């Protein structure tokens, strides 16, 4: 009788363990928000930006992430206004639960913005350029309110990390650049501009820093986060051509990596696989360095 009781208790314990594991698996959801802009050439900004191929990045990544179980929201071209981007990040944050894995992706132009609060050593914030952001300051018409600066993005990222908590993970991918040439030269499409957005006629000079890795804030109440960026602030981000299409080099290599790797909280392994992809595919521009920022 004693053996039978022990056996029954053991089975009950196994069932409880299985239920707990199953519950944890269900609790950890995967969520993604992808922004891609190709056609900046609209009346919204007075035809100030050249066209790129950010929508191709979204179209490439969407099915790859979907296959891995991500619930995905996308904004492309005319949808990708500043207000819509902020609204979707806020809605994503509200939906996110403890332990989730969240992936944010931006394939847009990037632009340096004159730093007004003194938190940047080189005097320039970095920014993502929504479709309704002007390139040049115009007093009373456009004063930078549609630029998604790193200061502002980090406020939203911190709220998201609080919702995710220490058992989940946040990925932020930026396939833009902050010091490009905003032109097509030698059949190359460049994302970004050497023209800094300035309030005081300040001339942009790229940072001389050659660092490709940075450490960022962490606390026990926040999720860990990995930022991956396509190039250093002093470099251009050059699109690559695959067949008759062009992609951001970071987006293409992430899609290639995720075709054989499941994205979860194992960020270190993901970075290793991604760097291996840059070598294996040979689809990475010369003189362009991958940049990572981590909280771990």
């Amino acid at each position: 009788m004693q053996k039978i009781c022990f056996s029954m208790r053991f089975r009950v314990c196994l069932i409880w363990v299985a239920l707990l594991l199953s519950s944890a698996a269900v609790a950890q959801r995967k969520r993604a928000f992808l922004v891609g802009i190709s056609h900046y050439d609209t009346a919204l900004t007075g035809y100030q930006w050249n066209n790129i191929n950010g929508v191709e990045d979204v179209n490439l990544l969407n099915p790859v992430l979907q296959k891995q179980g991500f619930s995905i929201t996308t904004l492309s071209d005319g949808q990708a206004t500043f207000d819509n981007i902020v609204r979707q990040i806020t809605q994503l944050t509200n939906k996110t639960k403890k332990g989730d894995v969240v992936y944010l992706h931006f394939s847009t132009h990037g632009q340096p913005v004159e730093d007004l609060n003194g938190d940047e050593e080189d005097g320039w914030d970095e920014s993502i350029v929504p479709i309704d952001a002007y390139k040049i300051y115009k007093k009373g018409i456009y004063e930078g309110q549609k630029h998604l600066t790193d200061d502002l993005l980090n406020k939203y990222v911190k709220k998201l990390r609080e919702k995710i908590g220490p058992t989940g993970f946040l990925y932020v991918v930026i396939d833009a650049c902050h010091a490009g040439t905003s032109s097509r030269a030698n059949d190359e499409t460049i994302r970004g501009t050497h023209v800094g957005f300035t309030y005081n006629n300040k001339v942009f000079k790229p940072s001389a820093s050659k660092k490709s890795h940075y450490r960022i804030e962490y606390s026990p109440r926040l999720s860990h986060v990995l930022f991956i960026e396509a190039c250093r602030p002093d470099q251009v981000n050059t699109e690559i051509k695959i067949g008759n299409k062009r992609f951001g080099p970071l987006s293409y290599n992430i899609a290639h990596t995720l075709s054989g790797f499941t994205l979860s909280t194992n960020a270190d392994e993901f970075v290793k696989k991604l760097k291996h992809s840059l070598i294996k595919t040979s689809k990475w521009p010369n003189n362009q360095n991958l940049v990572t920022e981590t909280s771990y």
Side-chain angles (χ1 to χ4, degrees):
M1 176 66 72
Q2 200 170 21
K3 288 183 178 179
I4 293 173
C5 289
F6 175 78
S7 176
M8 289 180 64
R9 285 198 299 270
F10 183 69
R11 289 178 183 175
V12 169
C13 286
L14 286 178
I15 291 169
W16 273 108
V17 169
L19 287 171
L20 287 171
L21 290 174
S22 174
S23 174
V26 170
Q28 187 181 73
R29 297 181 182 275
K30 294 184 175 183
R31 308 176 191 273
F33 174 45
L34 314 179
V35 178
I37 303 177
S38 292
H39 299 104
Y40 276 92
D41 198 11
T42 71
L44 282 172
T45 58
Y47 303 96
Q48 295 181 330
W49 296 101
N50 65 294
N51 290 337
I52 52 175
N53 294 280
V55 175
E56 296 290 357
D57 295 353
V58 169
N59 293 340
L60 181 67
L61 285 162
N62 200 335
V64 175
L65 290 168
Q66 205 168 46
K67 190 175 180 181
Q68 295 199 11
F70 279 85
S71 173
I72 304 169
T73 302
T74 66
L75 289 177
S76 297
D77 280 343
Q79 301 171 329
T81 63
F82 175 86
D83 288 344
N84 283 346
I85 292 171
V86 168
R87 186 179 299 113
Q88 287 300 330
I89 293 176
T90 302
Q91 289 179 5
L92 174 65
T93 303
N94 292 338
K95 292 177 184 176
T96 295
K97 307 296 183 184
K98 297 296 183 186
D100 285 356
V101 174
V102 180
Y103 178 93
L104 303 182
H105 189 104
F106 300 92
S107 285
T108 66
H109 275 303
Q111 186 177 26
V113 175
E114 184 180 352
D115 174 36
L116 297 181
N117 63 7
D119 67 336
E120 298 283 351
E121 289 184 12
D122 63 356
W124 295 90
D125 286 312
E126 297 172 347
S127 76
I128 292 162
V129 179
I131 199 162
D132 52 346
Y134 285 60
K135 185 188 290 186
I136 299 169
Y137 176 87
K138 293 185 177 182
K139 186 174 177 60
I141 298 174
Y142 183 76
E143 300 182 0
Q145 62 270 24
K146 302 294 186 180
H147 277 70
L148 185 57
T149 63
D150 51 6
D151 289 347
L152 184 55
L153 178 61
N154 284 332
K155 288 181 181 178
Y156 290 111
V157 163
K158 189 170 182 178
K159 290 179 182 177
L160 192 48
R161 292 175 67 192
E162 287 175 352
K163 285 296 296 288
I164 296 169
T167 58
F169 203 91
L170 175 62
Y171 294 86
V172 183
V173 176
I174 302 176
D175 203 350
C177 80
H178 312 285
T181 58
S182 193
S183 65
R184 179 174 293 213
N186 299 322
D187 199 35
E188 291 183 342
T189 302
I190 306 297
R191 298 182 179 184
T193 176
H194 273 311
V195 178
F197 188 89
T198 176
Y199 310 92
N200 302 296
N201 295 317
K202 186 176 177 181
V203 177
F204 171 65
K205 293 182 180 179
S207 168
S209 172
K210 303 301 180 185
K211 289 178 65 175
S212 292
H213 178 71
Y214 299 84
R215 292 297 302 273
I216 55 180
E217 173 193 14
Y218 176 71
S219 84
R221 65 188 178 84
L222 301 176
S223 75
H224 277 301
V225 60
L226 166 65
F227 281 81
I228 310 177
E229 295 147 9
C231 61
R232 299 195 311 246
D234 64 313
Q235 297 173 329
V236 299
N237 181 21
T238 307
E239 293 187 347
I240 57 174
K241 192 171 183 180
I242 309 294
N244 62 351
K245 293 184 177 181
R246 294 178 186 273
F247 302 95
L250 182 52
S251 300
Y252 178 83
N253 280 281
I254 284 177
H256 180 268
T257 302
L258 294 182
S259 65
F261 180 83
T262 301
L263 197 63
S264 61
T265 57
N266 49 352
D268 270 342
E269 189 63 23
F270 173 59
V271 172
K272 288 178 185 175
K273 297 283 187 184
L274 177 60
K275 288 181 177 179
H276 179 68
S277 175
L278 308 188
I279 299 169
K280 186 176 180 180
T281 65
S282 300
K283 301 300 182 182
W284 190 259
N286 294 328
N287 304 317
Q288 187 169 322
N289 296 88
L290 189 74
V291 174
T292 56
E293 301 182 48
T294 61
S295 61
Y296 54 88

mmCIF file with all atom_site columns, all heavy atoms in Angstrom, residues 35-53:
data_model
loop_
_atom_site.group_PDB
_atom_site.id
_atom_site.type_symbol
_atom_site.label_atom_id
_atom_site.label_alt_id
_atom_site.label_comp_id
_atom_site.label_asym_id
_atom_site.label_entity_id
_atom_site.label_seq_id
_atom_site.pdbx_PDB_ins_code
_atom_site.Cartn_x
_atom_site.Cartn_y
_atom_site.Cartn_z
_atom_site.occupancy
_atom_site.B_iso_or_equiv
_atom_site.pdbx_formal_charge
_atom_site.auth_seq_id
_atom_site.auth_comp_id
_atom_site.auth_asym_id
_atom_site.auth_atom_id
_atom_site.pdbx_PDB_model_num
ATOM 1   N N   . VAL A 1 35 ? 8.528  48.303 -38.982 1.00 0.00 ? 35 VAL A N   1
ATOM 2   C CA  . VAL A 1 35 ? 8.298  49.538 -39.727 1.00 0.00 ? 35 VAL A CA  1
ATOM 3   C C   . VAL A 1 35 ? 9.230  49.560 -40.929 1.00 0.00 ? 35 VAL A C   1
ATOM 4   O O   . VAL A 1 35 ? 10.453 49.394 -40.784 1.00 0.00 ? 35 VAL A O   1
ATOM 5   C CB  . VAL A 1 35 ? 8.570  50.783 -38.851 1.00 0.00 ? 35 VAL A CB  1
ATOM 6   C CG1 . VAL A 1 35 ? 8.375  52.066 -39.667 1.00 0.00 ? 35 VAL A CG1 1
ATOM 7   C CG2 . VAL A 1 35 ? 7.669  50.783 -37.620 1.00 0.00 ? 35 VAL A CG2 1
ATOM 8   N N   . GLY A 1 36 ? 8.673  49.763 -42.114 1.00 0.00 ? 36 GLY A N   1
ATOM 9   C CA  . GLY A 1 36 ? 9.488  49.836 -43.326 1.00 0.00 ? 36 GLY A CA  1
ATOM 10  C C   . GLY A 1 36 ? 8.990  50.936 -44.249 1.00 0.00 ? 36 GLY A C   1
ATOM 11  O O   . GLY A 1 36 ? 7.792  51.013 -44.536 1.00 0.00 ? 36 GLY A O   1
ATOM 12  N N   . ILE A 1 37 ? 9.900  51.791 -44.686 1.00 0.00 ? 37 ILE A N   1
ATOM 13  C CA  . ILE A 1 37 ? 9.523  52.860 -45.614 1.00 0.00 ? 37 ILE A CA  1
ATOM 14  C C   . ILE A 1 37 ? 10.390 52.774 -46.867 1.00 0.00 ? 37 ILE A C   1
ATOM 15  O O   . ILE A 1 37 ? 11.616 52.659 -46.770 1.00 0.00 ? 37 ILE A O   1
ATOM 16  C CB  . ILE A 1 37 ? 9.688  54.252 -44.957 1.00 0.00 ? 37 ILE A CB  1
ATOM 17  C CG1 . ILE A 1 37 ? 8.853  54.344 -43.675 1.00 0.00 ? 37 ILE A CG1 1
ATOM 18  C CG2 . ILE A 1 37 ? 9.271  55.349 -45.932 1.00 0.00 ? 37 ILE A CG2 1
ATOM 19  C CD1 . ILE A 1 37 ? 9.013  55.659 -42.927 1.00 0.00 ? 37 ILE A CD1 1
ATOM 20  N N   . SER A 1 38 ? 9.742  52.804 -48.010 1.00 0.00 ? 38 SER A N   1
ATOM 21  C CA  . SER A 1 38 ? 10.447 52.839 -49.292 1.00 0.00 ? 38 SER A CA  1
ATOM 22  C C   . SER A 1 38 ? 10.244 54.169 -49.999 1.00 0.00 ? 38 SER A C   1
ATOM 23  O O   . SER A 1 38 ? 11.183 54.767 -50.503 1.00 0.00 ? 38 SER A O   1
ATOM 24  C CB  . SER A 1 38 ? 9.953  51.700 -50.206 1.00 0.00 ? 38 SER A CB  1
ATOM 25  O OG  . SER A 1 38 ? 10.339 50.436 -49.704 1.00 0.00 ? 38 SER A OG  1
ATOM 26  N N   . HIS A 1 39 ? 9.002  54.638 -50.034 1.00 0.00 ? 39 HIS A N   1
ATOM 27  C CA  . HIS A 1 39 ? 8.662  55.800 -50.856 1.00 0.00 ? 39 HIS A CA  1
ATOM 28  C C   . HIS A 1 39 ? 8.508  57.057 -50.005 1.00 0.00 ? 39 HIS A C   1
ATOM 29  O O   . HIS A 1 39 ? 7.404  57.462 -49.650 1.00 0.00 ? 39 HIS A O   1
ATOM 30  C CB  . HIS A 1 39 ? 7.386  55.514 -51.655 1.00 0.00 ? 39 HIS A CB  1
ATOM 31  C CG  . HIS A 1 39 ? 7.530  54.353 -52.582 1.00 0.00 ? 39 HIS A CG  1
ATOM 32  N ND1 . HIS A 1 39 ? 6.984  53.119 -52.313 1.00 0.00 ? 39 HIS A ND1 1
ATOM 33  C CD2 . HIS A 1 39 ? 8.209  54.226 -53.742 1.00 0.00 ? 39 HIS A CD2 1
ATOM 34  C CE1 . HIS A 1 39 ? 7.301  52.275 -53.293 1.00 0.00 ? 39 HIS A CE1 1
ATOM 35  N NE2 . HIS A 1 39 ? 8.039  52.930 -54.169 1.00 0.00 ? 39 HIS A NE2 1
ATOM 36  N N   . TYR A 1 40 ? 9.636  57.663 -49.711 1.00 0.00 ? 40 TYR A N   1
ATOM 37  C CA  . TYR A 1 40 ? 9.625  58.949 -49.023 1.00 0.00 ? 40 TYR A CA  1
ATOM 38  C C   . TYR A 1 40 ? 9.229  60.079 -49.959 1.00 0.00 ? 40 TYR A C   1
ATOM 39  O O   . TYR A 1 40 ? 8.903  61.170 -49.516 1.00 0.00 ? 40 TYR A O   1
ATOM 40  C CB  . TYR A 1 40 ? 11.014 59.262 -48.470 1.00 0.00 ? 40 TYR A CB  1
ATOM 41  C CG  . TYR A 1 40 ? 11.314 58.639 -47.131 1.00 0.00 ? 40 TYR A CG  1
ATOM 42  C CD1 . TYR A 1 40 ? 11.933 57.404 -47.053 1.00 0.00 ? 40 TYR A CD1 1
ATOM 43  C CD2 . TYR A 1 40 ? 11.009 59.290 -45.947 1.00 0.00 ? 40 TYR A CD2 1
ATOM 44  C CE1 . TYR A 1 40 ? 12.225 56.827 -45.832 1.00 0.00 ? 40 TYR A CE1 1
ATOM 45  C CE2 . TYR A 1 40 ? 11.302 58.732 -44.720 1.00 0.00 ? 40 TYR A CE2 1
ATOM 46  C CZ  . TYR A 1 40 ? 11.907 57.491 -44.662 1.00 0.00 ? 40 TYR A CZ  1
ATOM 47  O OH  . TYR A 1 40 ? 12.207 56.922 -43.447 1.00 0.00 ? 40 TYR A OH  1
ATOM 48  N N   . ASP A 1 41 ? 9.270  59.829 -51.256 1.00 0.00 ? 41 ASP A N   1
ATOM 49  C CA  . ASP A 1 41 ? 9.059  60.876 -52.254 1.00 0.00 ? 41 ASP A CA  1
ATOM 50  C C   . ASP A 1 41 ? 7.582  61.276 -52.306 1.00 0.00 ? 41 ASP A C   1
ATOM 51  O O   . ASP A 1 41 ? 6.874  61.009 -53.264 1.00 0.00 ? 41 ASP A O   1
ATOM 52  C CB  . ASP A 1 41 ? 9.537  60.364 -53.612 1.00 0.00 ? 41 ASP A CB  1
ATOM 53  C CG  . ASP A 1 41 ? 9.776  61.499 -54.598 1.00 0.00 ? 41 ASP A CG  1
ATOM 54  O OD1 . ASP A 1 41 ? 9.770  62.660 -54.177 1.00 0.00 ? 41 ASP A OD1 1
ATOM 55  O OD2 . ASP A 1 41 ? 9.968  61.214 -55.773 1.00 0.00 ? 41 ASP A OD2 1
ATOM 56  N N   . THR A 1 42 ? 7.114  61.896 -51.237 1.00 0.00 ? 42 THR A N   1
ATOM 57  C CA  . THR A 1 42 ? 5.714  62.295 -51.163 1.00 0.00 ? 42 THR A CA  1
ATOM 58  C C   . THR A 1 42 ? 5.627  63.777 -50.821 1.00 0.00 ? 42 THR A C   1
ATOM 59  O O   . THR A 1 42 ? 6.578  64.396 -50.349 1.00 0.00 ? 42 THR A O   1
ATOM 60  C CB  . THR A 1 42 ? 4.967  61.504 -50.070 1.00 0.00 ? 42 THR A CB  1
ATOM 61  O OG1 . THR A 1 42 ? 5.418  61.963 -48.793 1.00 0.00 ? 42 THR A OG1 1
ATOM 62  C CG2 . THR A 1 42 ? 5.215  60.009 -50.188 1.00 0.00 ? 42 THR A CG2 1
ATOM 63  N N   . ALA A 1 43 ? 4.439  64.317 -51.019 1.00 0.00 ? 43 ALA A N   1
ATOM 64  C CA  . ALA A 1 43 ? 4.218  65.735 -50.735 1.00 0.00 ? 43 ALA A CA  1
ATOM 65  C C   . ALA A 1 43 ? 4.276  66.041 -49.241 1.00 0.00 ? 43 ALA A C   1
ATOM 66  O O   . ALA A 1 43 ? 4.343  67.203 -48.841 1.00 0.00 ? 43 ALA A O   1
ATOM 67  C CB  . ALA A 1 43 ? 2.866  66.158 -51.298 1.00 0.00 ? 43 ALA A CB  1
ATOM 68  N N   . LEU A 1 44 ? 4.252  65.007 -48.400 1.00 0.00 ? 44 LEU A N   1
ATOM 69  C CA  . LEU A 1 44 ? 4.266  65.222 -46.946 1.00 0.00 ? 44 LEU A CA  1
ATOM 70  C C   . LEU A 1 44 ? 5.465  66.037 -46.495 1.00 0.00 ? 44 LEU A C   1
ATOM 71  O O   . LEU A 1 44 ? 5.372  66.848 -45.586 1.00 0.00 ? 44 LEU A O   1
ATOM 72  C CB  . LEU A 1 44 ? 4.279  63.866 -46.217 1.00 0.00 ? 44 LEU A CB  1
ATOM 73  C CG  . LEU A 1 44 ? 2.949  63.110 -46.126 1.00 0.00 ? 44 LEU A CG  1
ATOM 74  C CD1 . LEU A 1 44 ? 3.181  61.718 -45.560 1.00 0.00 ? 44 LEU A CD1 1
ATOM 75  C CD2 . LEU A 1 44 ? 1.952  63.868 -45.265 1.00 0.00 ? 44 LEU A CD2 1
ATOM 76  N N   . THR A 1 45 ? 6.618  65.797 -47.106 1.00 0.00 ? 45 THR A N   1
ATOM 77  C CA  . THR A 1 45 ? 7.846  66.473 -46.656 1.00 0.00 ? 45 THR A CA  1
ATOM 78  C C   . THR A 1 45 ? 8.509  67.283 -47.761 1.00 0.00 ? 45 THR A C   1
ATOM 79  O O   . THR A 1 45 ? 9.684  67.595 -47.678 1.00 0.00 ? 45 THR A O   1
ATOM 80  C CB  . THR A 1 45 ? 8.854  65.441 -46.117 1.00 0.00 ? 45 THR A CB  1
ATOM 81  O OG1 . THR A 1 45 ? 9.141  64.485 -47.146 1.00 0.00 ? 45 THR A OG1 1
ATOM 82  C CG2 . THR A 1 45 ? 8.313  64.724 -44.905 1.00 0.00 ? 45 THR A CG2 1
ATOM 83  N N   . GLY A 1 46 ? 7.771  67.601 -48.787 1.00 0.00 ? 46 GLY A N   1
ATOM 84  C CA  . GLY A 1 46 ? 8.330  68.444 -49.836 1.00 0.00 ? 46 GLY A CA  1
ATOM 85  C C   . GLY A 1 46 ? 9.423  67.765 -50.646 1.00 0.00 ? 46 GLY A C   1
ATOM 86  O O   . GLY A 1 46 ? 10.327 68.422 -51.145 1.00 0.00 ? 46 GLY A O   1
ATOM 87  N N   . TYR A 1 47 ? 9.316  66.450 -50.797 1.00 0.00 ? 47 TYR A N   1
ATOM 88  C CA  . TYR A 1 47 ? 10.266 65.689 -51.631 1.00 0.00 ? 47 TYR A CA  1
ATOM 89  C C   . TYR A 1 47 ? 11.713 65.855 -51.162 1.00 0.00 ? 47 TYR A C   1
ATOM 90  O O   . TYR A 1 47 ? 12.618 66.044 -51.961 1.00 0.00 ? 47 TYR A O   1
ATOM 91  C CB  . TYR A 1 47 ? 10.134 66.107 -53.103 1.00 0.00 ? 47 TYR A CB  1
ATOM 92  C CG  . TYR A 1 47 ? 8.737  65.919 -53.636 1.00 0.00 ? 47 TYR A CG  1
ATOM 93  C CD1 . TYR A 1 47 ? 7.839  66.979 -53.663 1.00 0.00 ? 47 TYR A CD1 1
ATOM 94  C CD2 . TYR A 1 47 ? 8.303  64.670 -54.079 1.00 0.00 ? 47 TYR A CD2 1
ATOM 95  C CE1 . TYR A 1 47 ? 6.537  66.796 -54.120 1.00 0.00 ? 47 TYR A CE1 1
ATOM 96  C CE2 . TYR A 1 47 ? 6.995  64.487 -54.533 1.00 0.00 ? 47 TYR A CE2 1
ATOM 97  C CZ  . TYR A 1 47 ? 6.129  65.542 -54.556 1.00 0.00 ? 47 TYR A CZ  1
ATOM 98  O OH  . TYR A 1 47 ? 4.856  65.366 -54.994 1.00 0.00 ? 47 TYR A OH  1
ATOM 99  N N   . GLN A 1 48 ? 11.931 65.806 -49.865 1.00 0.00 ? 48 GLN A N   1
ATOM 100 C CA  . GLN A 1 48 ? 13.269 66.035 -49.332 1.00 0.00 ? 48 GLN A CA  1
ATOM 101 C C   . GLN A 1 48 ? 14.101 64.757 -49.199 1.00 0.00 ? 48 GLN A C   1
ATOM 102 O O   . GLN A 1 48 ? 15.323 64.834 -49.128 1.00 0.00 ? 48 GLN A O   1
ATOM 103 C CB  . GLN A 1 48 ? 13.166 66.707 -47.964 1.00 0.00 ? 48 GLN A CB  1
ATOM 104 C CG  . GLN A 1 48 ? 12.562 68.106 -48.044 1.00 0.00 ? 48 GLN A CG  1
ATOM 105 C CD  . GLN A 1 48 ? 12.504 68.761 -46.680 1.00 0.00 ? 48 GLN A CD  1
ATOM 106 O OE1 . GLN A 1 48 ? 12.370 68.102 -45.668 1.00 0.00 ? 48 GLN A OE1 1
ATOM 107 N NE2 . GLN A 1 48 ? 12.616 70.065 -46.655 1.00 0.00 ? 48 GLN A NE2 1
ATOM 108 N N   . TRP A 1 49 ? 13.460 63.611 -49.146 1.00 0.00 ? 49 TRP A N   1
ATOM 109 C CA  . TRP A 1 49 ? 14.179 62.351 -48.934 1.00 0.00 ? 49 TRP A CA  1
ATOM 110 C C   . TRP A 1 49 ? 14.171 61.499 -50.198 1.00 0.00 ? 49 TRP A C   1
ATOM 111 O O   . TRP A 1 49 ? 13.166 61.426 -50.895 1.00 0.00 ? 49 TRP A O   1
ATOM 112 C CB  . TRP A 1 49 ? 13.526 61.549 -47.810 1.00 0.00 ? 49 TRP A CB  1
ATOM 113 C CG  . TRP A 1 49 ? 13.583 62.201 -46.467 1.00 0.00 ? 49 TRP A CG  1
ATOM 114 C CD1 . TRP A 1 49 ? 12.573 62.883 -45.831 1.00 0.00 ? 49 TRP A CD1 1
ATOM 115 C CD2 . TRP A 1 49 ? 14.705 62.252 -45.605 1.00 0.00 ? 49 TRP A CD2 1
ATOM 116 N NE1 . TRP A 1 49 ? 13.008 63.345 -44.617 1.00 0.00 ? 49 TRP A NE1 1
ATOM 117 C CE2 . TRP A 1 49 ? 14.311 62.972 -44.440 1.00 0.00 ? 49 TRP A CE2 1
ATOM 118 C CE3 . TRP A 1 49 ? 16.009 61.757 -45.663 1.00 0.00 ? 49 TRP A CE3 1
ATOM 119 C CZ2 . TRP A 1 49 ? 15.165 63.212 -43.372 1.00 0.00 ? 49 TRP A CZ2 1
ATOM 120 C CZ3 . TRP A 1 49 ? 16.861 61.990 -44.601 1.00 0.00 ? 49 TRP A CZ3 1
ATOM 121 C CH2 . TRP A 1 49 ? 16.446 62.706 -43.477 1.00 0.00 ? 49 TRP A CH2 1
ATOM 122 N N   . ASN A 1 50 ? 15.295 60.808 -50.460 1.00 0.00 ? 50 ASN A N   1
ATOM 123 C CA  . ASN A 1 50 ? 15.310 59.874 -51.584 1.00 0.00 ? 50 ASN A CA  1
ATOM 124 C C   . ASN A 1 50 ? 14.605 58.576 -51.190 1.00 0.00 ? 50 ASN A C   1
ATOM 125 O O   . ASN A 1 50 ? 14.487 58.234 -50.010 1.00 0.00 ? 50 ASN A O   1
ATOM 126 C CB  . ASN A 1 50 ? 16.748 59.562 -52.016 1.00 0.00 ? 50 ASN A CB  1
ATOM 127 C CG  . ASN A 1 50 ? 17.526 58.833 -50.950 1.00 0.00 ? 50 ASN A CG  1
ATOM 128 O OD1 . ASN A 1 50 ? 17.798 59.381 -49.891 1.00 0.00 ? 50 ASN A OD1 1
ATOM 129 N ND2 . ASN A 1 50 ? 17.897 57.587 -51.223 1.00 0.00 ? 50 ASN A ND2 1
ATOM 130 N N   . ASN A 1 51 ? 14.115 57.860 -52.172 1.00 0.00 ? 51 ASN A N   1
ATOM 131 C CA  . ASN A 1 51 ? 13.461 56.581 -51.919 1.00 0.00 ? 51 ASN A CA  1
ATOM 132 C C   . ASN A 1 51 ? 14.487 55.503 -51.586 1.00 0.00 ? 51 ASN A C   1
ATOM 133 O O   . ASN A 1 51 ? 15.601 55.496 -52.118 1.00 0.00 ? 51 ASN A O   1
ATOM 134 C CB  . ASN A 1 51 ? 12.641 56.149 -53.138 1.00 0.00 ? 51 ASN A CB  1
ATOM 135 C CG  . ASN A 1 51 ? 11.419 57.035 -53.339 1.00 0.00 ? 51 ASN A CG  1
ATOM 136 O OD1 . ASN A 1 51 ? 10.940 57.667 -52.401 1.00 0.00 ? 51 ASN A OD1 1
ATOM 137 N ND2 . ASN A 1 51 ? 10.919 57.077 -54.558 1.00 0.00 ? 51 ASN A ND2 1
ATOM 138 N N   . ILE A 1 52 ? 14.078 54.585 -50.697 1.00 0.00 ? 52 ILE A N   1
ATOM 139 C CA  . ILE A 1 52 ? 14.908 53.434 -50.340 1.00 0.00 ? 52 ILE A CA  1
ATOM 140 C C   . ILE A 1 52 ? 14.045 52.184 -50.475 1.00 0.00 ? 52 ILE A C   1
ATOM 141 O O   . ILE A 1 52 ? 13.070 52.201 -51.230 1.00 0.00 ? 52 ILE A O   1
ATOM 142 C CB  . ILE A 1 52 ? 15.504 53.595 -48.918 1.00 0.00 ? 52 ILE A CB  1
ATOM 143 C CG1 . ILE A 1 52 ? 14.408 53.903 -47.893 1.00 0.00 ? 52 ILE A CG1 1
ATOM 144 C CG2 . ILE A 1 52 ? 16.561 54.686 -48.918 1.00 0.00 ? 52 ILE A CG2 1
ATOM 145 C CD1 . ILE A 1 52 ? 14.892 53.962 -46.452 1.00 0.00 ? 52 ILE A CD1 1
ATOM 146 N N   . ASN A 1 53 ? 14.364 51.116 -49.763 1.00 0.00 ? 53 ASN A N   1
ATOM 147 C CA  . ASN A 1 53 ? 13.636 49.853 -49.944 1.00 0.00 ? 53 ASN A CA  1
ATOM 148 C C   . ASN A 1 53 ? 13.279 49.195 -48.613 1.00 0.00 ? 53 ASN A C   1
ATOM 149 O O   . ASN A 1 53 ? 13.371 47.985 -48.454 1.00 0.00 ? 53 ASN A O   1
ATOM 150 C CB  . ASN A 1 53 ? 14.472 48.903 -50.808 1.00 0.00 ? 53 ASN A CB  1
ATOM 151 C CG  . ASN A 1 53 ? 14.655 49.410 -52.223 1.00 0.00 ? 53 ASN A CG  1
ATOM 152 O OD1 . ASN A 1 53 ? 13.772 49.279 -53.068 1.00 0.00 ? 53 ASN A OD1 1
ATOM 153 N ND2 . ASN A 1 53 ? 15.800 50.038 -52.491 1.00 0.00 ? 53 ASN A ND2 1
#
